[in-house]
Amino acid sequence: MATLSLIIPVETRDESPAELLSSLAENKGADLEILLAAPDRETAIALDLDALAAQDPRVRIFTPASAPTSSLALWTCAVEATKGAWISLVKPRDGFEAEAGRIADAVKAKIGKVDALAWNAIPISADADSSREESIGLPTGFDPFPYEKTNLLKAFFLWEGSLSTPKAPFGLYHGILSRELAMNIAATIRTAGRDHDLPQWEWAARVMLIGESFVFGPRPLSIVDQRPYAPPATFTQRPDFPFHAGLGVTGGIIEIQSALFTEMGAAWSGAPEHVIRAILIDCVGETDPVRFEAKCAAYRQALAAWEGGRHAHLFQPKFTGPRPLERRRGLHGTTLMVDRHIGGARNAIEFYRVIRNFLAPIGLMCGGVAV
């Protein structure tokens, strides 16, 4: 059994995992199972996944017996097809630490039972203009620590301290789950019959509700290929609930939370002030005035229908336009500000390859030598 199963869903034919696989192959000694999960053989053939898999014996191609009807279905099938003691998932253009499973083992040996491990997964846009000066903050800490579940539930389900998404980092995507928890969650998703294209948040909600032992490490173990949110092709829009992913990412997460509470036989009401603040931030993220007004109008309609519209007066959005870029450099508290294009890094994979050289060494994090 491999230490870590890394799932890479390859759902679109314009996103080859070749560069990510090449970066993982730089560490041939890492105990990894790499599962390329394609929805069908046609997609696998179009991306020439067989040729990519032949370059590394740790790579395995997986296609479900029957075509999945959504991203959530593909992710869940892929989890059930893994063989590793730990399970994680990233997308084809994300960066990932090949030794992440080794770190999970070390954390478990030090702390005991661990259901979920999370870290600072830094977002990097490949579309960033290299001629514009911009800085990215890197945490200087590295020692993993237990995360209190009560605070986690407040951050996720009550939206405490949130932006447009909850400040709760645990999940399958850019996180690590124990095999036991991952299989348990996969079973609950199948039982619920959920079907949509926001799997990251469906898995996150269930991880934070079902999991018991959470550990967070400040050191980045992955980099997110940041993309602007676009309403997914498949999402749930219930006739008895006004929020959904077509409104924005906040609306999609609210729908997932509500559905999960309904599944448990409870009513979801959220924390109205926090929820509406998150919706406001979701709207303010639109830098085009036309898109901003359209999103505000859609959310305003949903708020008018939510709980009789009694919270709608809290929604008072103001268009702000593009935010100024962060340009600080050097050490600021426990954060090191570095050039977004450090070392000529163009995308998430290249960015991680560069910053890995001056982040805390993996060996040090595992309690051994600093290599």
Side-chain angles (χ1 to χ4, degrees):
M1 176 184 288
T3 299
L4 173 69
S5 290
L6 177 63
I7 300 168
I8 306 173
V10 284
E11 300 180 69
T12 60
R13 298 178 187 183
D14 62 345
E15 289 201 328
S16 170
E19 188 176 4
L20 175 55
L21 293 178
S22 177
S23 71
L24 295 170
E26 292 171 5
N27 187 338
K28 291 183 169 57
D31 189 12
L32 276 175
E33 173 194 43
I34 304 170
L35 195 70
L36 299 180
D40 48 54
R41 277 301 299 169
E42 289 74 16
T43 300
I45 292 169
L47 290 168
D48 204 9
L49 296 188
D50 290 319
L52 293 176
Q55 299 174 22
D56 190 331
R58 300 173 299 179
V59 178
R60 182 161 61 93
I61 299 172
F62 167 75
T63 54
S66 57
T69 52
S70 68
S71 297
L72 179 59
L74 177 62
W75 286 30
T76 303
C77 288
V79 165
E80 294 170 332
T82 61
K83 300 176 181 178
W86 302 98
I87 303 172
S88 184
L89 182 149
V90 295
K91 294 183 180 179
R93 294 179 181 173
D94 294 330
F96 190 78
E97 172 54 59
E99 296 281 7
R102 180 183 167 197
I103 294 172
D105 276 348
V107 169
K108 183 178 180 181
K110 179 180 180 181
I111 294 177
K113 177 178 171 61
V114 176
D115 289 323
L117 176 66
W119 52 84
N120 283 299
I122 297 173
I124 289 290
S125 172
D127 296 328
D129 185 351
S130 60
S131 68
R132 299 181 69 188
E133 184 180 346
E134 181 180 2
S135 298
I136 298 292
L138 303 179
T140 55
F142 64 88
D143 197 18
F145 57 88
Y147 204 106
E148 175 60 45
K149 179 168 180 172
T150 300
N151 294 334
L152 191 62
L153 293 175
K154 289 180 180 178
F156 191 82
F157 291 100
L158 297 182
W159 296 77
E160 288 191 357
S162 74
L163 296 175
S164 60
T165 61
K167 283 190 174 180
F170 294 90
L172 175 65
Y173 181 59
H174 288 272
I176 292 177
L177 305 182
S178 69
R179 182 168 194 83
E180 179 182 6
L181 178 61
M183 294 304 164
N184 187 2
I185 290 172
T188 68
I189 292 173
R190 286 197 178 278
T191 300
R194 296 280 286 164
D195 192 44
H196 60 74
D197 286 333
L198 284 179
Q200 171 188 351
W201 297 107
E202 183 81 30
W203 271 86
R206 292 172 187 270
V207 165
M208 286 177 271
L209 189 66
I210 298 171
E212 292 297 333
S213 176
F214 301 89
V215 176
F216 182 82
R219 184 207 191 273
L221 296 180
S222 63
I223 304 294
V224 180
D225 174 42
Q226 187 180 42
R227 305 290 181 89
Y229 177 81
T234 302
F235 60 86
T236 302
Q237 189 169 358
R238 308 198 313 261
D240 60 337
F241 192 70
F243 296 105
H244 54 82
L247 300 171
V249 64
T250 308
I253 297 170
I254 291 171
E255 189 282 322
I256 288 169
Q257 293 175 341
S258 171
L260 186 53
F261 271 64
T262 299
E263 187 180 318
M264 297 186 299
W268 179 89
S269 61
E273 296 84 357
H274 296 162
V275 168
I276 291 177
R277 185 193 64 241
I279 292 172
L280 282 166
I281 295 171
D282 192 8
C283 291
V284 169
E286 293 291 349
T287 58
D288 176 81
V290 175
R291 291 197 300 267
F292 170 79
E293 291 297 340
K295 178 175 278 191
C296 289
Y299 270 121
R300 193 172 283 111
Q301 183 176 358
L303 287 166
W306 180 40
E307 297 187 349
R310 66 175 180 268
H311 311 300
H313 69 281
L314 299 173
F315 183 66
Q316 298 180 20
K318 294 181 180 180
F319 181 70
T320 60
R323 294 182 179 180
L325 296 176
E326 173 64 73
R327 290 190 170 90
R328 291 178 299 166
R329 295 290 170 85
L331 190 62
H332 294 265
T334 59
T335 301
L336 178 64
M337 306 301 296
V338 302
D339 180 7
R340 153 63 186 86
H341 293 92
I342 186 170
R346 296 166 298 175
N347 56 33
I349 297 168
E350 292 181 359
F351 187 80
Y352 186 71
R353 184 182 282 116
V354 174
I355 67 168
R356 191 181 191 274
N357 294 310
F358 53 89
L359 292 173
I362 300 302
L364 181 63
M365 295 182 67
C366 295
V369 294
V371 296

